[in-house]
Amino acid sequence: MIIMLSVGHACVDVYQGAVASLVPFFVAERAYSYAAVSGIVLAASLLSSVAQPLFGVLTDRWAMPWLLPVSTILGGLGIALSGLSGSYAVTLVFVAVSGVGVAAYHPESARVARLVSEGSHSAMGWFSLGGSLGFAAAPLMVTAVVTSGGLHLSPLLVLPALAGSVLCLPVLRTLEKTGHGGSSTAVATGADDTVSFMKLSLAVVCRSVVFVGLSTFISLYARQRLGGGAAVGTTALFVLYLGGAVGSVLGGSLANRWDRVAVARWSYLVTVAAVAGIVFIPGPAIYVFVALTSAGLYVPFSLQVTLGQDYLPTRVGTAGGITLGLTVSIGGLASPLIGSVADATSLRTALTPLIVMPALSWLLFRTLPEPTAPKPMATARANVVTVEG
């Protein structure tokens, strides 16, 4: 069952990666500026940043498994329609619709995954891996579709959403049979550490600025640095997303040996050097630094979500919604600024400040304690939100 949920997770997260994957094609076919395409990324992030914490609060109170197929379809439909209209405003609306669908999916799917896995860290790691692989598949899928016939073929991009929604159906039937398909559940008990949670949230924001900024512009930057066509940029974006799959698995393994705060702190220190390599080291080595950056950003990702839940043990859905949604999506707010600087100067100049962001995350993690995980009631395990969106 967890494998089915993992594949469904991939079918949804492919649409998070698809937004950045469409950027070079919007530039090529519609002559959008850097600032304009970063606005499209912002549209996907903005509503998601508000919606996902709200859905997290709702999953603290009620089980809503019907959201899985509905949100999957919504996420795919928005991206599928985004290439049909030449209107910039209409494109923004469709991309925003997709962002809401993705936001609605994650808190409830993570609750269900936690339920069927009975709290297993390795099972939840597989679920998280699905999302990372979905990200990685996005540039390949978008490039295959759009290069073969232009943006007007974008309706074909709805196919993963259709597959993902079908995969949700046996999961819903299983939940019905086991009596876990409806009503509210209890939350874990313990004292909330709001100060640590706020520091953690700031660290996630800094991490998000780096990831969203690179997702938006790494394809264009790689083509500038290396020359060549769309394949050069697509490869860079694929490596950025694929490295997330490696980091997701590695983070859980490292956390079994050392505490989560220490693992996250060292990961961000490595990421500082890796981002600097992307910006300043010439030649094909850029792919190596992209991979290191991606792994460095994703090793702490799921650890940050569980840390947030342990800092707010009485509001785990809200904590998951904030760490997965609000703080992550806030990174999209920086994209228009990066795009404006790139329009006025160069992409290299605009990307250089991203080196500072993981350093700030590292400094914040130096002030965080490793919490003692609360012992939730049996019914509370169904309510914990733990993995990426």
Side-chain angles (χ1 to χ4, degrees):
M1 187 64 68
I2 198 68
I3 297 300
M4 193 172 297
L5 284 167
S6 179
V7 176
H9 192 191
C11 290
V12 172
D13 275 12
V14 73
Y15 296 109
Q16 291 200 80
V19 178
S21 303
L22 285 167
V23 162
F25 299 102
F26 286 135
V27 171
E29 290 194 25
R30 299 179 181 175
Y32 289 165
S33 66
Y34 291 139
V37 291
S38 60
I40 292 174
V41 176
L42 175 62
S45 302
L46 195 57
L47 280 179
S48 181
S49 69
V50 176
Q52 194 151 320
L54 294 178
F55 284 110
V57 171
L58 291 175
T59 59
D60 269 341
R61 301 189 62 183
W62 301 287
M64 297 181 290
W66 55 267
L67 266 181
L68 270 61
V70 172
S71 59
T72 299
I73 290 293
L74 195 63
L77 195 60
I79 292 299
L81 296 176
S82 66
L84 294 183
S85 174
S87 167
Y88 183 72
V90 172
T91 301
L92 289 179
V93 169
F94 284 138
V95 170
V97 166
S98 177
V100 172
V102 170
Y105 175 85
H106 283 96
E108 181 63 10
S109 66
R111 182 193 71 84
V112 172
R114 179 78 172 193
L115 179 66
V116 301
S117 70
E118 299 183 341
S120 166
H121 290 300
S122 60
M124 293 305 292
W126 282 107
F127 178 64
S128 180
L129 177 63
S132 299
L133 292 176
F135 260 108
L140 303 180
M141 178 187 73
V142 169
T143 300
V145 170
V146 180
T147 55
S148 63
L151 287 170
H152 73 273
L153 289 184
S154 66
L156 292 176
L157 299 176
V158 79
L159 294 177
L162 297 177
S165 64
V166 171
L167 287 173
C168 292
L169 300 181
V171 175
L172 300 188
R173 285 196 293 269
T174 300
L175 292 175
E176 277 299 318
K177 289 178 182 178
T178 57
H180 294 300
S183 78
S184 61
T185 52
V187 295
T189 58
D192 290 343
D193 184 353
T194 306
V195 173
S196 292
F197 181 76
M198 292 299 294
K199 292 178 180 178
L200 173 70
S201 297
L202 288 174
V204 178
V205 168
C206 293
R207 179 247 180 223
S208 176
V209 169
V210 180
F211 185 75
V212 176
L214 289 177
S215 296
T216 305
F217 296 109
I218 192 62
S219 180
L220 296 169
Y221 188 62
R223 292 173 68 173
Q224 284 186 7
R225 296 295 301 274
L226 301 176
V232 171
T234 298
T235 301
L237 194 57
F238 175 73
V239 170
L240 178 68
Y241 290 161
L242 186 63
V246 176
S248 297
V249 175
L250 185 60
S253 300
L254 293 174
N256 287 331
R257 300 190 59 183
W258 297 282
D259 66 64
R260 292 166 293 178
V261 171
V263 171
R265 190 167 59 237
W266 282 104
S267 296
Y268 281 125
L269 202 56
V270 170
T271 306
V272 173
V275 176
I278 291 175
V279 176
F280 295 115
I281 302 298
I286 188 174
Y287 293 123
V288 175
F289 289 111
V290 168
L292 288 174
T293 297
S294 180
L297 292 174
Y298 266 94
V299 162
F301 190 89
S302 62
L303 308 182
Q304 290 167 161
V305 180
T306 59
L307 280 169
Q309 294 167 347
D310 289 346
Y311 289 141
L312 297 183
T314 68
R315 293 174 286 167
V316 291
T318 302
I322 291 175
T323 52
L324 288 171
L326 183 61
T327 50
V328 172
S329 300
I330 280 176
L333 298 176
S335 291
L337 178 60
I338 296 172
S340 296
V341 173
D343 284 333
T345 56
S346 68
L347 260 181
R348 182 175 181 177
T349 300
L351 294 177
T352 298
L354 296 184
I355 300 170
V356 178
M357 294 293 106
L360 293 176
S361 294
W362 173 74
L363 288 172
L364 286 163
F365 263 91
R366 284 179 59 86
T367 69
L368 290 176
E370 175 68 27
T372 301
K375 296 183 189 233
M377 299 167 56
T379 54
R381 288 183 302 180
N383 203 35
V384 179
V385 182
T386 58
V387 293
E388 174 191 0

